[in-house]
Amino acid sequence: MNLPLLRNAAGVMTLPALLATLLLAGVGLGGCRVDREPAYEWLPWLNSMEFSSAAETNTKNANFKNGLTMQVPPAGTIPRGFKPLHYTAAEAERAGGDLKNPLEATPENLARGKERFGVFCSPCHGPVGAGDGLVVKRNVGFGSFPINNPLAGPGTWPDGKVFHMISFGRGNMPSYATQIPQEDRWRIVLHLRELQKANK
């Protein structure tokens, strides 16, 4: 079968060749980006990378040997934004002596600490650290969440010990190391000190 020549005897591109070139250019450019407005897509199969569906966290995934989407981080790695703590869960006293709060009690740090305290701490410890959060109130009679040491009292624990307990947990309190970045843990300690000043 003879293919049509791209150029005629005079060197000018033939009409079929010109149309084929324009068609290929249009398809190539059309696959670069597609806006979702209006509510249709032209050749969506060309945009599978731009609009790929991310796997849900707790779903099965055939791409991994264990069949899970959520994978355990490789040994020796540190999540982005987190720094290693060279303490064990049992070394709260040592952390109390070694660790000093690197942040100053600026209005920005205090505001952020108050906001993070409200999200992560107040459900158990209450809005002012009195140990009267909703979790505690709803477990009255069951004894599963007793808080005997209100945070807003005249606590003598050093900043490093409080930071260690937020990081590793204590008693019924779980570790918040994977949920609260280190800087925000220190900001929560700053806010806690403000609560203690207000409750003296």
Side-chain angles (χ1 to χ4, degrees):
M1 182 171 80
N2 293 328
L3 295 175
L5 295 174
L6 293 179
R7 297 182 181 274
N8 61 18
V12 179
M13 187 175 281
T14 62
L15 182 60
L18 180 61
L19 292 176
T21 302
L22 291 175
L23 180 63
L24 285 173
V27 168
L29 293 174
C32 293
R33 176 155 185 87
V34 173
D35 292 328
R36 290 198 179 274
E37 296 294 335
Y40 64 87
E41 294 179 8
W42 182 66
L43 299 177
W45 51 270
L46 288 174
N47 298 279
S48 59
M49 290 185 69
E50 183 173 354
F51 299 134
S52 63
S53 299
E56 294 293 329
T57 303
N58 294 314
T59 58
K60 296 194 179 295
N61 193 322
N63 294 318
F64 298 104
K65 289 182 181 179
N66 63 3
L68 300 175
T69 295
M70 197 168 171
Q71 298 293 304
V72 176
T77 60
I78 301 168
R80 179 175 292 185
F82 289 83
K83 300 169 190 170
L85 285 178
H86 303 289
Y87 299 91
T88 66
E91 294 182 303
E93 298 300 330
R94 184 169 77 89
D98 294 349
L99 298 176
K100 306 299 179 198
N101 197 331
L103 303 178
E104 295 182 8
T106 63
E108 295 79 15
N109 284 334
L110 290 171
R112 176 70 176 177
K114 181 177 181 180
E115 189 267 336
R116 295 288 86 187
F117 182 92
V119 171
F120 293 102
C121 309
S122 67
C124 291
H125 294 285
V128 295
D132 58 351
L134 289 176
V135 173
V136 176
K137 288 180 179 178
R138 291 180 180 176
N139 281 281
V140 171
F142 298 98
S144 59
F145 276 90
I147 297 181
N148 299 321
N149 189 1
L151 296 177
T156 57
W157 291 340
D159 288 356
K161 183 173 180 178
V162 178
F163 176 85
H164 181 278
M165 284 190 285
I166 297 171
S167 302
F168 289 96
R170 179 174 185 261
N172 289 324
M173 177 178 153
S175 165
Y176 285 94
T178 59
Q179 295 171 277
I180 309 174
Q182 286 192 23
E183 289 77 10
D184 281 349
R185 281 177 254 163
W186 285 118
R187 290 182 179 108
I188 288 172
V189 173
L190 290 174
H191 174 66
L192 174 60
R193 297 309 183 206
E194 293 298 307
L195 290 177
Q196 289 173 335
K197 289 178 189 175
N199 283 276
K200 279 187 177 179

